[in-house]
Amino acid sequence: MLDCSHIVQVDYTAVQGFVGMITDFTLNNVRVALSHMQPEVLEVLEKANVKNLLLAESNDEAIRMLNDAAREEEVGLLDSKLQLENGENTATSPV
């Protein structure tokens, strides 16, 4: 979780830094949440269409979001494991 309360503006280079950081975290199966984002900064990031961005208004909300995402991931992994154990094919075939 990153507290962004002191970030008051971003330029193209900063947006690219956010994109790179979030991409690196995502590739390593790590979720990151940004809290206390200033409206002006949020607007720039939304225009840049940054993927996998979790935004929270408070640190507590960011922690809840990260915990919820981790639980959802666990449930998905358990479902996949059960399907494999039951011999179910998880792949979908084109129609």
Side-chain angles (χ1 to χ4, degrees):
M1 177 203 51
L2 298 174
D3 183 333
C4 300
S5 58
H6 297 288
I7 301 173
V8 293
Q9 69 180 28
V10 292
D11 61 8
Y12 177 81
T13 303
V15 170
Q16 294 307 309
F18 272 109
V19 169
M21 175 189 66
I22 292 168
T23 300
D24 286 346
F25 280 130
T26 301
L27 290 173
N28 289 292
N29 295 317
V30 175
R31 298 243 183 188
V32 64
L34 307 177
S35 67
H36 298 108
M37 186 68 63
Q38 301 291 330
E40 298 82 11
V41 175
L42 177 58
E43 184 179 332
V44 172
L45 291 177
E46 286 175 341
K47 284 181 182 177
N49 199 24
V50 179
K51 304 288 185 212
N52 300 314
L53 191 59
L54 294 176
L55 298 170
E57 292 188 18
S58 69
N59 293 343
D60 289 338
E61 181 185 4
I63 291 168
R64 276 192 300 277
M65 291 172 74
L66 291 169
N67 286 334
D68 290 347
R71 273 190 226 94
E72 288 174 13
E73 189 173 303
E74 276 183 35
V75 168
L77 291 174
L78 289 174
D79 286 346
S80 296
K81 182 179 177 186
L82 288 173
Q83 287 175 347
L84 289 173
E85 288 174 355
N86 293 327
E88 297 175 25
N89 185 359
T90 58
T92 57
S93 59
V95 176

Coordinates of all heavy atoms in Angstrom, one line a residue:
M1 N 0.8 -1.2 0.0 CA 0.0 0.0 0.0 C 0.9 1.2 0.0 O 1.9 1.3 0.7 CB -0.9 0.0 1.2 CG -1.7 1.2 1.3 SD -2.3 1.7 3.0 CE -0.9 1.7 3.9
L2 N 0.5 2.2 -0.9 CA 1.3 3.4 -0.9 C 0.4 4.6 -0.6 O -0.7 4.7 -1.2 CB 1.8 3.6 -2.3 CG 2.8 2.6 -2.9 CD1 3.2 2.9 -4.3 CD2 4.1 2.6 -2.0
D3 N 0.8 5.3 0.4 CA 0.0 6.5 0.8 C 0.5 7.7 -0.1 O 1.6 8.1 0.0 CB 0.3 6.9 2.3 CG -0.5 8.0 2.8 OD1 -0.9 8.9 1.9 OD2 -0.8 8.1 4.0
C4 N -0.4 8.1 -1.0 CA 0.0 9.1 -2.0 C -0.5 10.6 -1.6 O -0.6 11.4 -2.5 CB -0.7 8.7 -3.3 SG -0.1 7.2 -3.9
S5 N -0.7 10.8 -0.3 CA -1.3 12.1 0.1 C -0.3 13.3 -0.2 O -0.8 14.4 -0.3 CB -1.6 12.0 1.6 OG -0.5 11.7 2.4
H6 N 1.0 13.0 -0.3 CA 1.9 14.1 -0.6 C 2.2 14.3 -2.1 O 3.0 15.2 -2.4 CB 3.2 13.9 0.2 CG 3.0 13.9 1.7 ND1 2.7 15.0 2.4 CD2 3.0 12.9 2.6 CE1 2.5 14.8 3.6 NE2 2.7 13.5 3.8
I7 N 1.6 13.5 -2.9 CA 1.8 13.7 -4.4 C 0.7 14.6 -4.8 O -0.5 14.3 -4.8 CB 1.7 12.3 -5.1 CG1 2.7 11.3 -4.6 CG2 1.8 12.5 -6.6 CD1 2.6 9.9 -5.1
V8 N 1.1 15.8 -5.2 CA 0.1 16.8 -5.6 C 0.0 17.0 -7.1 O -1.0 17.6 -7.6 CB 0.4 18.2 -4.9 CG1 0.3 18.1 -3.4 CG2 1.8 18.7 -5.3
Q9 N 1.0 16.5 -7.9 CA 0.9 16.6 -9.3 C 1.8 15.5 -9.9 O 2.7 15.1 -9.3 CB 1.2 18.0 -9.9 CG 2.6 18.4 -9.8 CD 2.8 19.8 -10.4 OE1 1.9 20.6 -10.4 NE2 4.0 20.0 -10.9
V10 N 1.4 15.1 -11.1 CA 2.3 14.1 -11.8 C 2.4 14.6 -13.3 O 1.5 15.2 -13.8 CB 1.7 12.7 -11.8 CG1 1.7 12.1 -10.4 CG2 0.3 12.6 -12.3
D11 N 3.5 14.2 -13.9 CA 3.7 14.5 -15.3 C 3.8 13.1 -16.0 O 3.6 12.1 -15.4 CB 4.9 15.3 -15.5 CG 6.2 14.7 -15.0 OD1 6.2 13.5 -14.6 OD2 7.2 15.4 -15.0
Y12 N 4.1 13.2 -17.3 CA 4.2 12.0 -18.1 C 5.1 11.0 -17.5 O 4.9 9.8 -17.4 CB 4.5 12.3 -19.6 CG 4.7 11.1 -20.4 CD1 3.6 10.5 -21.0 CD2 6.0 10.6 -20.7 CE1 3.8 9.4 -21.8 CE2 6.1 9.5 -21.5 CZ 5.0 8.9 -22.1 OH 5.2 7.8 -22.9
T13 N 6.3 11.4 -17.1 CA 7.3 10.6 -16.6 C 6.9 9.9 -15.3 O 7.1 8.7 -15.1 CB 8.6 11.3 -16.3 OG1 9.0 12.0 -17.5 CG2 9.7 10.4 -15.8
A14 N 6.2 10.6 -14.4 CA 5.7 10.0 -13.2 C 4.6 9.0 -13.5 O 4.6 7.9 -12.9 CB 5.1 11.1 -12.3
V15 N 3.7 9.3 -14.5 CA 2.7 8.3 -14.8 C 3.4 7.0 -15.4 O 3.0 5.9 -15.0 CB 1.7 8.8 -15.9 CG1 0.8 7.8 -16.5 CG2 0.9 10.0 -15.3
Q16 N 4.4 7.2 -16.2 CA 5.1 6.0 -16.7 C 5.8 5.2 -15.5 O 5.9 4.0 -15.5 CB 6.2 6.4 -17.7 CG 5.6 7.0 -19.0 CD 4.5 6.1 -19.6 OE1 4.8 4.9 -19.8 NE2 3.3 6.6 -19.8
G17 N 6.2 5.9 -14.5 CA 6.8 5.3 -13.3 C 5.7 4.5 -12.6 O 6.0 3.3 -12.2
F18 N 4.5 5.0 -12.4 CA 3.4 4.3 -11.8 C 3.1 3.0 -12.6 O 2.9 2.0 -12.1 CB 2.2 5.2 -11.7 CG 2.1 6.0 -10.5 CD1 2.3 7.3 -10.5 CD2 1.9 5.4 -9.2 CE1 2.2 8.1 -9.3 CE2 1.8 6.1 -8.1 CZ 1.9 7.5 -8.1
V19 N 3.0 3.2 -14.0 CA 2.7 2.1 -14.8 C 3.8 1.0 -14.7 O 3.4 -0.2 -14.5 CB 2.6 2.5 -16.3 CG1 2.5 1.3 -17.3 CG2 1.3 3.4 -16.5
G20 N 5.0 1.4 -14.7 CA 6.1 0.4 -14.6 C 6.1 -0.3 -13.3 O 6.2 -1.5 -13.2
M21 N 5.9 0.5 -12.2 CA 5.8 -0.1 -10.9 C 4.7 -1.1 -10.7 O 4.9 -2.3 -10.3 CB 5.7 1.0 -9.8 CG 5.5 0.5 -8.4 SD 5.1 1.8 -7.2 CE 3.4 2.2 -7.8
I22 N 3.5 -0.7 -11.2 CA 2.3 -1.6 -11.0 C 2.5 -2.8 -11.9 O 2.1 -3.9 -11.6 CB 1.0 -0.8 -11.3 CG1 0.8 0.2 -10.2 CG2 -0.2 -1.7 -11.4 CD1 -0.2 1.3 -10.4
T23 N 3.0 -2.6 -13.1 CA 3.3 -3.8 -14.0 C 4.3 -4.8 -13.4 O 4.0 -6.0 -13.4 CB 3.8 -3.3 -15.4 OG1 2.9 -2.4 -16.0 CG2 4.1 -4.4 -16.3
D24 N 5.3 -4.3 -12.8 CA 6.3 -5.1 -12.1 C 5.7 -5.9 -11.0 O 5.9 -7.1 -10.8 CB 7.5 -4.3 -11.6 CG 8.4 -3.9 -12.7 OD1 8.3 -4.4 -13.8 OD2 9.3 -3.0 -12.4
F25 N 4.9 -5.2 -10.2 CA 4.2 -5.9 -9.1 C 3.2 -6.9 -9.6 O 3.2 -8.1 -9.1 CB 3.4 -4.9 -8.2 CG 4.2 -4.1 -7.2 CD1 4.2 -2.7 -7.1 CD2 5.1 -4.8 -6.4 CE1 4.9 -2.0 -6.2 CE2 5.9 -4.1 -5.4 CZ 5.8 -2.7 -5.4
T26 N 2.5 -6.6 -10.6 CA 1.5 -7.5 -11.2 C 2.2 -8.8 -11.7 O 1.7 -9.9 -11.5 CB 0.7 -6.9 -12.3 OG1 0.0 -5.7 -11.7 CG2 -0.4 -7.8 -12.9
L27 N 3.3 -8.6 -12.4 CA 4.0 -9.7 -13.0 C 4.6 -10.7 -11.9 O 4.8 -11.8 -12.1 CB 5.2 -9.2 -13.9 CG 4.7 -8.6 -15.2 CD1 6.0 -8.0 -15.9 CD2 4.0 -9.6 -16.1
N28 N 4.8 -10.1 -10.7 CA 5.3 -10.9 -9.6 C 4.2 -11.3 -8.6 O 4.4 -11.6 -7.5 CB 6.4 -10.1 -8.9 CG 7.6 -10.0 -9.7 OD1 8.3 -11.1 -9.9 ND2 8.0 -8.9 -10.2
N29 N 2.9 -11.2 -9.1 CA 1.7 -11.6 -8.3 C 1.6 -10.8 -7.0 O 1.2 -11.4 -6.0 CB 1.7 -13.1 -8.1 CG 1.5 -13.8 -9.4 OD1 0.7 -13.5 -10.2 ND2 2.3 -14.9 -9.5
V30 N 2.0 -9.5 -7.1 CA 1.9 -8.7 -5.9 C 0.9 -7.6 -6.2 O 1.0 -6.9 -7.3 CB 3.2 -8.0 -5.5 CG1 3.1 -7.1 -4.4 CG2 4.2 -9.1 -5.2
R31 N -0.1 -7.4 -5.3 CA -1.1 -6.3 -5.5 C -0.6 -5.1 -4.8 O 0.0 -5.2 -3.7 CB -2.4 -6.7 -5.0 CG -3.0 -7.9 -5.6 CD -4.2 -7.5 -6.3 NE -4.8 -8.7 -6.9 CZ -5.9 -8.6 -7.7 NH1 -6.4 -7.5 -7.9 NH2 -6.4 -9.7 -8.2
V32 N -0.9 -3.9 -5.4 CA -0.6 -2.7 -4.7 C -1.8 -1.8 -4.7 O -2.5 -1.7 -5.7 CB 0.7 -2.0 -5.4 CG1 0.3 -1.6 -6.8 CG2 1.1 -0.8 -4.6
A33 N -2.0 -1.1 -3.6 CA -3.1 -0.2 -3.5 C -2.6 1.2 -3.2 O -1.6 1.4 -2.4 CB -4.1 -0.6 -2.4
L34 N -3.2 2.2 -3.8 CA -2.8 3.6 -3.6 C -3.9 4.3 -2.8 O -5.1 4.2 -3.1 CB -2.6 4.3 -4.9 CG -1.7 3.7 -5.9 CD1 -1.7 4.5 -7.2 CD2 -0.3 3.5 -5.4
S35 N -3.5 4.9 -1.7 CA -4.5 5.6 -0.9 C -4.2 7.1 -0.9 O -3.1 7.6 -1.2 CB -4.4 5.1 0.6 OG -3.2 5.4 1.2
H36 N -5.2 7.9 -0.5 CA -5.2 9.3 -0.3 C -4.7 10.0 -1.6 O -4.0 11.0 -1.6 CB -4.2 9.7 0.8 CG -4.7 9.2 2.1 ND1 -4.0 8.2 2.8 CD2 -5.7 9.6 2.9 CE1 -4.6 8.0 4.0 NE2 -5.7 8.8 4.0
M37 N -5.2 9.5 -2.8 CA -4.8 10.1 -4.0 C -5.5 11.5 -4.2 O -6.7 11.6 -4.0 CB -5.2 9.2 -5.2 CG -4.7 9.6 -6.5 SD -3.0 9.5 -6.8 CE -2.6 7.8 -6.6
Q38 N -4.7 12.5 -4.5 CA -5.3 13.8 -4.8 C -6.1 13.8 -6.1 O -5.8 13.1 -7.0 CB -4.2 14.8 -5.0 CG -3.2 15.0 -3.8 CD -3.9 15.6 -2.6 OE1 -4.8 16.4 -2.7 NE2 -3.5 15.2 -1.4
P39 N -7.3 14.5 -6.1 CA -8.1 14.4 -7.3 C -7.4 14.7 -8.6 O -7.7 14.1 -9.6 CB -9.2 15.5 -7.0 CG -9.2 15.6 -5.5 CD -7.8 15.3 -5.1
E40 N -6.5 15.7 -8.6 CA -5.8 16.1 -9.8 C -4.9 14.9 -10.3 O -4.8 14.7 -11.5 CB -5.0 17.3 -9.6 CG -5.8 18.6 -9.2 CD -6.1 18.6 -7.8 OE1 -5.6 17.8 -6.9 OE2 -6.9 19.5 -7.4
V41 N -4.3 14.3 -9.4 CA -3.4 13.1 -9.7 C -4.2 12.0 -10.2 O -3.9 11.3 -11.2 CB -2.5 12.7 -8.5 CG1 -1.7 11.5 -8.8 CG2 -1.6 13.9 -8.1
L42 N -5.3 11.7 -9.5 CA -6.2 10.6 -9.9 C -6.7 10.8 -11.4 O -6.8 9.9 -12.1 CB -7.4 10.5 -8.9 CG -8.5 9.5 -9.3 CD1 -7.9 8.1 -9.3 CD2 -9.6 9.6 -8.2
E43 N -7.1 12.0 -11.7 CA -7.6 12.4 -13.0 C -6.5 12.0 -14.1 O -6.9 11.4 -15.1 CB -7.9 13.8 -13.1 CG -8.6 14.3 -14.4 CD -8.9 15.7 -14.4 OE1 -9.2 16.3 -13.4 OE2 -8.9 16.3 -15.5
V44 N -5.3 12.4 -13.8 CA -4.2 12.1 -14.8 C -4.0 10.6 -14.9 O -3.9 10.0 -16.0 CB -2.9 12.7 -14.3 CG1 -1.7 12.3 -15.2 CG2 -3.0 14.3 -14.4
L45 N -4.0 9.8 -13.8 CA -3.9 8.4 -13.9 C -5.0 7.7 -14.6 O -4.8 6.7 -15.3 CB -3.7 7.8 -12.5 CG -2.4 8.1 -11.8 CD1 -2.4 7.6 -10.4 CD2 -1.2 7.6 -12.5
E46 N -6.3 8.2 -14.4 CA -7.4 7.6 -15.0 C -7.3 7.9 -16.5 O -7.7 7.0 -17.3 CB -8.7 8.2 -14.5 CG -9.0 7.6 -13.1 CD -10.2 8.3 -12.5 OE1 -10.7 9.4 -12.9 OE2 -10.8 7.7 -11.5
K47 N -6.9 9.1 -16.9 CA -6.7 9.4 -18.4 C -5.7 8.5 -19.0 O -5.8 8.1 -20.2 CB -6.4 10.8 -18.6 CG -7.5 11.8 -18.4 CD -7.1 13.2 -18.7 CE -8.2 14.2 -18.4 NZ -7.8 15.6 -18.6
A48 N -4.7 8.1 -18.2 CA -3.6 7.3 -18.7 C -4.0 5.8 -18.8 O -3.3 5.0 -19.3 CB -2.3 7.4 -17.9
N49 N -5.2 5.5 -18.2 CA -5.8 4.1 -18.3 C -4.8 3.1 -17.7 O -4.5 2.1 -18.3 CB -6.1 3.8 -19.7 CG -7.1 2.6 -19.7 OD1 -7.8 2.4 -18.8 ND2 -7.1 1.9 -20.8
V50 N -4.3 3.4 -16.5 CA -3.4 2.5 -15.8 C -4.1 1.3 -15.3 O -5.2 1.4 -14.7 CB -2.8 3.2 -14.5 CG1 -1.8 2.3 -13.8 CG2 -2.0 4.5 -15.0
K51 N -3.7 0.1 -15.7 CA -4.3 -1.2 -15.4 C -3.9 -1.7 -14.0 O -2.9 -1.3 -13.5 CB -3.9 -2.2 -16.5 CG -4.1 -1.8 -17.9 CD -5.6 -1.9 -18.2 CE -5.8 -1.6 -19.7 NZ -7.0 -0.9 -20.0
N52 N -4.8 -2.5 -13.5 CA -4.6 -3.1 -12.2 C -4.4 -2.1 -11.0 O -3.6 -2.4 -10.1 CB -3.4 -4.1 -12.2 CG -3.7 -5.2 -13.2 OD1 -4.8 -5.8 -13.3 ND2 -2.7 -5.5 -14.1
L53 N -5.0 -1.0 -11.1 CA -4.8 0.0 -10.1 C -5.9 0.0 -9.1 O -7.1 0.0 -9.4 CB -4.9 1.4 -10.8 CG -4.5 2.6 -10.1 CD1 -3.0 2.5 -9.6 CD2 -4.6 3.9 -10.9
L54 N -5.5 -0.3 -7.8 CA -6.5 -0.3 -6.7 C -6.3 1.1 -6.0 O -5.3 1.4 -5.5 CB -6.1 -1.4 -5.7 CG -6.3 -2.8 -6.2 CD1 -5.9 -3.8 -5.2 CD2 -7.8 -3.1 -6.6
L55 N -7.4 1.8 -5.9 CA -7.4 3.1 -5.3 C -8.3 3.1 -4.1 O -9.4 2.6 -4.1 CB -8.0 4.2 -6.3 CG -7.1 4.3 -7.6 CD1 -7.9 5.2 -8.6 CD2 -5.8 4.9 -7.3
A56 N -7.8 3.7 -3.0 CA -8.6 3.8 -1.8 C -8.5 5.2 -1.2 O -7.6 5.9 -1.5 CB -8.0 2.8 -0.8
E57 N -9.5 5.6 -0.5 CA -9.6 6.9 0.1 C -8.8 6.9 1.4 O -8.4 8.0 1.8 CB -11.0 7.3 0.3 CG -11.7 7.6 -1.0 CD -13.1 8.2 -0.8 OE1 -13.4 8.8 0.3 OE2 -13.9 8.2 -1.7
S58 N -8.6 5.8 2.1 CA -7.8 5.8 3.3 C -6.9 4.6 3.3 O -7.1 3.6 2.5 CB -8.8 5.7 4.5 OG -9.4 4.4 4.5
N59 N -6.0 4.6 4.3 CA -5.1 3.4 4.4 C -5.8 2.2 4.8 O -5.6 1.1 4.4 CB -4.0 3.7 5.4 CG -3.0 4.8 4.9 OD1 -3.0 5.1 3.7 ND2 -2.3 5.4 5.8
D60 N -6.8 2.4 5.7 CA -7.6 1.2 6.2 C -8.4 0.6 5.0 O -8.4 -0.6 4.9 CB -8.6 1.6 7.3 CG -7.9 1.9 8.6 OD1 -6.8 1.5 8.8 OD2 -8.5 2.7 9.4
E61 N -8.9 1.4 4.2 CA -9.7 0.9 3.0 C -8.7 0.2 2.1 O -9.0 -0.9 1.5 CB -10.4 2.1 2.3 CG -11.2 1.6 1.1 CD -11.8 2.7 0.2 OE1 -11.5 3.9 0.5 OE2 -12.5 2.4 -0.7
A62 N -7.5 0.7 1.9 CA -6.5 0.1 1.0 C -6.2 -1.3 1.6 O -6.1 -2.3 0.8 CB -5.3 0.9 0.9
I63 N -6.0 -1.4 2.9 CA -5.6 -2.7 3.5 C -6.8 -3.7 3.3 O -6.6 -4.8 2.9 CB -5.3 -2.5 5.0 CG1 -4.0 -1.8 5.1 CG2 -5.2 -3.9 5.7 CD1 -3.6 -1.3 6.5
R64 N -8.0 -3.2 3.5 CA -9.2 -4.1 3.2 C -9.3 -4.6 1.8 O -9.5 -5.7 1.5 CB -10.5 -3.3 3.6 CG -10.9 -3.4 5.1 CD -12.3 -2.9 5.3 NE -12.5 -1.6 4.9 CZ -12.2 -0.5 5.6 NH1 -11.7 -0.6 6.8 NH2 -12.5 0.7 5.1
M65 N -9.0 -3.6 0.9 CA -9.0 -4.0 -0.6 C -8.0 -5.1 -0.9 O -8.3 -6.0 -1.6 CB -8.8 -2.8 -1.4 CG -9.9 -1.8 -1.4 SD -9.5 -0.2 -2.3 CE -9.5 -0.8 -4.0
L66 N -6.8 -4.9 -0.3 CA -5.7 -5.9 -0.6 C -6.1 -7.2 0.1 O -5.8 -8.3 -0.5 CB -4.4 -5.4 0.0 CG -3.8 -4.2 -0.8 CD1 -2.7 -3.5 -0.1 CD2 -3.4 -4.6 -2.2
N67 N -6.6 -7.2 1.3 CA -7.0 -8.5 1.9 C -8.1 -9.1 1.1 O -8.1 -10.4 1.0 CB -7.5 -8.2 3.4 CG -6.3 -7.9 4.3 OD1 -5.2 -8.3 4.0 ND2 -6.6 -7.2 5.4
D68 N -9.1 -8.4 0.6 CA -10.2 -8.9 -0.2 C -9.7 -9.6 -1.4 O -10.1 -10.7 -1.8 CB -11.3 -7.9 -0.5 CG -12.1 -7.4 0.7 OD1 -12.0 -8.1 1.8 OD2 -12.8 -6.4 0.6
A69 N -8.7 -8.9 -2.1 CA -8.2 -9.4 -3.3 C -7.4 -10.7 -3.1 O -7.5 -11.6 -3.8 CB -7.2 -8.4 -4.0
A70 N -6.7 -10.8 -1.9 CA -6.0 -12.0 -1.6 C -6.9 -13.1 -1.3 O -6.7 -14.3 -1.7 CB -5.1 -11.7 -0.4
R71 N -8.0 -12.8 -0.6 CA -9.0 -13.9 -0.4 C -9.6 -14.4 -1.7 O -9.8 -15.6 -1.8 CB -10.1 -13.4 0.6 CG -9.8 -13.5 2.0 CD -11.0 -13.3 2.9 NE -10.5 -12.4 4.0 CZ -10.6 -11.1 4.0 NH1 -11.1 -10.4 3.1 NH2 -10.1 -10.4 5.1
E72 N -10.0 -13.5 -2.6 CA -10.6 -13.9 -3.9 C -9.6 -14.8 -4.6 O -10.0 -15.7 -5.3 CB -10.9 -12.6 -4.7 CG -12.1 -11.9 -4.2 CD -12.4 -10.6 -4.9 OE1 -11.8 -10.4 -6.0 OE2 -13.2 -9.8 -4.4
E73 N -8.3 -14.4 -4.6 CA -7.3 -15.2 -5.3 C -7.2 -16.6 -4.7 O -7.1 -17.6 -5.4 CB -6.0 -14.5 -5.2 CG -4.9 -15.1 -6.1 CD -3.6 -14.3 -6.1 OE1 -3.7 -13.1 -6.5 OE2 -2.6 -14.8 -5.7
E74 N -7.2 -16.7 -3.3 CA -7.2 -18.0 -2.6 C -8.4 -18.8 -3.0 O -8.2 -20.0 -3.3 CB -7.2 -17.8 -1.1 CG -5.9 -17.5 -0.5 CD -6.0 -17.4 1.0 OE1 -6.8 -18.1 1.6 OE2 -5.2 -16.6 1.6
V75 N -9.5 -18.3 -3.1 CA -10.7 -19.0 -3.4 C -10.6 -19.5 -4.9 O -10.9 -20.7 -5.2 CB -12.0 -18.2 -3.3 CG1 -13.2 -18.8 -3.9 CG2 -12.3 -17.9 -1.8
G76 N -10.1 -18.7 -5.8 CA -9.9 -19.1 -7.2 C -8.9 -20.2 -7.3 O -9.1 -21.2 -8.0
L77 N -7.9 -20.2 -6.5 CA -6.8 -21.2 -6.5 C -7.4 -22.5 -6.0 O -7.1 -23.6 -6.5 CB -5.6 -20.8 -5.8 CG -4.8 -19.7 -6.4 CD1 -3.6 -19.3 -5.5 CD2 -4.2 -20.1 -7.7
L78 N -8.2 -22.4 -4.9 CA -8.8 -23.6 -4.3 C -9.8 -24.2 -5.2 O -9.8 -25.5 -5.4 CB -9.5 -23.3 -2.9 CG -8.5 -22.9 -1.8 CD1 -9.3 -22.5 -0.6 CD2 -7.7 -24.1 -1.4
D79 N -10.6 -23.4 -5.9 CA -11.5 -24.0 -6.9 C -10.8 -24.7 -8.0 O -11.2 -25.8 -8.4 CB -12.4 -22.8 -7.5 CG -13.5 -22.3 -6.5 OD1 -13.7 -23.0 -5.5 OD2 -14.0 -21.2 -6.8
S80 N -9.7 -24.1 -8.5 CA -9.0 -24.8 -9.6 C -8.4 -26.1 -9.1 O -8.4 -27.1 -9.8 CB -7.8 -23.8 -10.0 OG -8.4 -22.7 -10.6
K81 N -7.9 -26.1 -7.9 CA -7.3 -27.3 -7.3 C -8.3 -28.4 -7.2 O -8.1 -29.6 -7.5 CB -6.6 -27.0 -6.0 CG -6.0 -28.2 -5.3 CD -5.3 -27.9 -4.0 CE -4.7 -29.1 -3.4 NZ -4.2 -28.9 -2.0
L82 N -9.5 -28.0 -6.7 CA -10.6 -29.0 -6.5 C -11.0 -29.6 -7.9 O -11.3 -30.8 -8.0 CB -11.8 -28.4 -5.8 CG -11.6 -28.2 -4.3 CD1 -12.8 -27.4 -3.8 CD2 -11.4 -29.5 -3.6
Q83 N -11.1 -28.7 -8.9 CA -11.5 -29.1 -10.2 C -10.4 -30.1 -10.8 O -10.8 -31.1 -11.4 CB -11.6 -28.0 -11.2 CG -12.9 -27.1 -10.9 CD -12.9 -25.9 -11.8 OE1 -11.9 -25.5 -12.4 NE2 -14.1 -25.3 -11.8
L84 N -9.2 -29.8 -10.6 CA -8.1 -30.8 -11.0 C -8.2 -32.1 -10.3 O -8.0 -33.2 -10.9 CB -6.7 -30.1 -10.8 CG -6.4 -29.0 -11.8 CD1 -5.1 -28.3 -11.4 CD2 -6.3 -29.4 -13.2
E85 N -8.4 -32.0 -9.0 CA -8.5 -33.3 -8.2 C -9.7 -34.1 -8.6 O -9.7 -35.3 -8.5 CB -8.6 -32.9 -6.7 CG -7.3 -32.4 -6.1 CD -7.4 -32.0 -4.7 OE1 -8.6 -31.9 -4.1 OE2 -6.4 -31.6 -4.1
N86 N -10.8 -33.5 -9.0 CA -12.0 -34.2 -9.5 C -11.9 -34.6 -11.0 O -12.9 -35.1 -11.5 CB -13.2 -33.3 -9.2 CG -13.5 -33.2 -7.7 OD1 -13.2 -34.1 -6.9 ND2 -14.0 -32.0 -7.3
G87 N -10.8 -34.3 -11.6 CA -10.6 -34.6 -13.0 C -11.4 -33.7 -14.0 O -11.6 -34.1 -15.1
E88 N -11.8 -32.6 -13.5 CA -12.6 -31.7 -14.4 C -11.6 -30.9 -15.2 O -10.5 -30.5 -14.8 CB -13.4 -30.7 -13.5 CG -14.5 -31.4 -12.7 CD -15.2 -30.4 -11.8 OE1 -15.3 -29.2 -12.1 OE2 -15.8 -30.8 -10.8
N89 N -12.0 -30.7 -16.5 CA -11.2 -29.9 -17.4 C -11.5 -28.4 -17.2 O -12.6 -28.0 -17.4 CB -11.5 -30.3 -18.8 CG -10.5 -29.6 -19.8 OD1 -9.7 -28.8 -19.4 ND2 -10.7 -29.9 -21.1
T90 N -10.5 -27.6 -16.7 CA -10.7 -26.2 -16.5 C -10.6 -25.4 -17.8 O -11.0 -24.2 -17.8 CB -9.7 -25.6 -15.4 OG1 -8.4 -25.9 -15.9 CG2 -10.0 -26.3 -14.1
A91 N -10.1 -26.0 -18.8 CA -9.9 -25.2 -20.1 C -11.2 -25.2 -20.8 O -12.0 -26.2 -20.8 CB -8.8 -25.9 -20.9
T92 N -11.5 -24.1 -21.5 CA -12.7 -24.0 -22.3 C -12.3 -24.2 -23.7 O -11.3 -23.7 -24.2 CB -13.4 -22.6 -22.1 OG1 -12.5 -21.6 -22.4 CG2 -13.9 -22.5 -20.7
S93 N -13.1 -24.9 -24.5 CA -12.8 -25.1 -25.9 C -13.7 -24.2 -26.7 O -14.8 -23.8 -26.4 CB -13.2 -26.6 -26.3 OG -14.5 -26.8 -26.0
P94 N -13.1 -23.7 -27.8 CA -13.8 -22.8 -28.7 C -15.0 -23.5 -29.4 O -15.0 -24.7 -29.6 CB -12.8 -22.4 -29.7 CG -11.7 -23.3 -29.6 CD -11.8 -24.0 -28.3
V95 N -16.1 -22.7 -29.6 CA -17.3 -23.3 -30.2 C -17.3 -23.1 -31.6 O -16.8 -22.2 -32.2 CB -18.5 -22.7 -29.5 CG1 -19.8 -23.2 -30.2 CG2 -18.5 -22.9 -28.1

